[in-house]
Amino acid sequence: MFDFDKLDKAIHEKGRLTIMTLLATRVQWPFQDLKTELGMSDGNLITHLRTLHKLGLVAVTKEMRGRPQTSYSLTAKGRSAFQEYLRVLEQIVKAGKK
Amino acid sequence: MDEQQRAEEHLRVIRNLMERATIYRAISAPTALVGGLLATVVSIFLAWGMTGHDRILANQGLTGRHFILLWLMVLLVTLCANTRFIFRKSRREGTPLFTPALKLTIVSALPTLFIAAIFTGLLWNYDETEEALPLLVNIWIICYGLVLLATAPFAPRSLVVLGWITLGTGGCILVFPSVIFRFEPAMRAILAMGLVFGLYHLAYAALTWPAKSRDQ
């Protein structure tokens, strides 16, 4: 029987999973681009990003590019947590097929 | 939904999102078809004007400015068609017109387009004889190949292959010009434009169209 507690619950939530996935594709994502790509509301996206930031999975960068711009990226801890999460998901799928 | 189904669903979401965020087809098959057809028709028309029994263009002399204007019009029509296709796709999928991937494509292409624009402007201002046309066309071909390759990190493989073939053709024409050197300068330029922007794009449209249908 597979131990489902191995799954990182912070990433397992679908909204946060999509954020982590996008952050894994590039070095940095501006907030506006994340919002455009995911089609989430500002409030929803900010809440998920704050949760991930508090857990140390996501880093926040604030810059002035004519106007203030906030960008997000995966921390080293976030990247390895995401890779571990993927590995566990694959194990669950494989275990179910046996 | 049990945990295994949920895991499969999550893996599907991850794969789709990663593909959407990392792969962007800057030139769709319909755009390639429109651009390829236009370039082929214009090349045939120009070649006919140079060699037909009246030799209208050859007798009047095809100036650099006429040549540039004509091909800029082809580019403009193709860009309008591309914008229309992107607009229709965004409406169909309910996504914004100006996606991060489109923005990234434009930013990646701009430096090389800037170089092509500078050379075109120089020829427009200082040398409008038809002798300069083959060199200008070569610069356009090489720059276009470089633009396609600049999008390689997030472009589908077919577009990268088109980029390398275009760049290779530009390099070959530059290094081994004798293959098409027996023609007049204007004719050389017309043939090169017809080959790269006409035939290559028609072939690209034909080869990528079935893949697009399969994806849908």
Side-chain angles (χ1 to χ4, degrees):
Chain A
M1 186 65 191
F2 193 84
D3 180 11
F4 292 107
D5 288 339
K6 283 182 184 171
L7 272 173
D8 190 330
K9 296 290 182 289
I11 304 177
H12 200 45
E13 197 284 325
K14 208 168 177 179
R16 288 195 287 273
L17 172 66
T18 56
I19 294 171
M20 291 292 285
T21 304
L22 278 194
L23 293 179
T25 60
R26 283 188 212 156
V27 178
Q28 207 171 46
W29 277 81
F31 178 82
Q32 205 54 38
D33 286 359
L34 274 178
K35 193 184 147 197
T36 306
E37 199 67 48
L38 296 172
M40 281 187 192
S41 67
D42 280 15
N44 205 3
L45 185 56
I46 287 171
T47 308
H48 284 315
L49 283 167
R50 272 196 197 135
T51 307
L52 293 168
H53 180 58
K54 275 182 192 163
L55 292 166
L57 303 176
V58 165
V60 187
T61 315
K62 293 189 178 181
E63 292 171 297
M64 278 299 292
R65 288 187 177 176
R67 54 181 183 166
Q69 192 183 63
T70 310
S71 299
Y72 295 86
S73 57
L74 282 186
T75 58
K77 183 184 169 189
R79 198 164 288 278
S80 64
F82 184 66
Q83 283 166 354
E84 176 61 18
Y85 176 79
L86 282 182
R87 201 183 59 75
V88 176
L89 273 191
E90 281 168 3
Q91 278 182 4
I92 293 173
V93 174
K94 273 182 199 163
K97 282 178 181 167
K98 277 179 188 170
Chain B
M1 189 187 281
D2 67 17
E3 207 58 41
Q4 195 219 335
Q5 283 175 317
R6 203 160 169 215
E8 282 177 357
E9 166 66 14
H10 278 200
L11 280 173
R12 228 186 337 268
V13 168
I14 291 168
R15 193 175 55 238
N16 288 343
L17 259 179
M18 282 200 153
E19 277 177 5
R20 214 174 70 196
T22 55
I23 296 177
Y24 184 72
R25 191 179 287 277
I27 300 172
S28 63
T31 304
L33 182 66
V34 171
L37 271 176
L38 265 175
T40 307
V41 169
V42 168
S43 298
I44 291 172
F45 165 75
L46 287 175
W48 171 80
M50 295 295 291
T51 58
H53 67 94
D54 288 337
R55 290 172 56 88
I56 302 166
L57 288 174
N59 291 336
Q60 290 184 352
L62 178 68
T63 68
R65 287 186 182 180
H66 288 146
F67 189 85
I68 292 170
L69 267 181
L70 189 62
W71 285 104
L72 279 181
M73 277 164 61
V74 171
L75 176 68
L76 194 69
V77 174
T78 311
L79 283 178
C80 286
N82 196 28
T83 309
R84 172 102 184 109
F85 294 137
I86 293 172
F87 182 70
R88 273 173 48 188
K89 185 171 178 273
S90 72
R91 264 209 347 207
R92 195 174 56 236
E93 294 176 357
T95 53
L97 179 68
F98 207 63
T99 59
L102 177 60
K103 212 158 61 179
L104 197 62
T105 303
I106 293 170
V107 169
S108 306
L110 272 180
T112 319
L113 289 178
F114 180 66
I115 299 291
I118 284 179
F119 277 105
T120 308
L122 281 175
L123 188 117
W124 178 277
N125 274 329
Y126 300 112
D127 190 356
E128 58 168 306
T129 58
E130 64 173 62
E131 278 70 29
L133 289 180
L135 179 64
L136 179 69
V137 165
N138 223 318
I139 289 166
W140 283 352
I141 291 172
I142 288 172
C143 283
Y144 181 62
L146 289 175
V147 162
L148 293 180
L149 291 175
T151 67
F154 49 88
R157 207 165 61 94
S158 54
L159 214 53
V160 179
V161 171
L162 179 66
W164 276 115
I165 291 174
T166 304
L167 190 63
T169 306
C172 283
I173 295 174
L174 206 63
V175 178
F176 309 109
S178 57
V179 180
I180 53 170
F181 242 56
R182 56 200 170 91
F183 296 105
E184 300 163 42
M187 196 60 183
R188 268 184 266 153
I190 293 164
L191 286 178
M193 290 298 283
L195 175 71
V196 173
F197 295 100
L199 297 183
Y200 283 4
H201 284 80
L202 289 178
Y204 175 82
L207 291 172
T208 55
W209 212 297
K212 189 171 169 271
S213 305
R214 256 200 320 274
D215 290 346
Q216 283 169 349

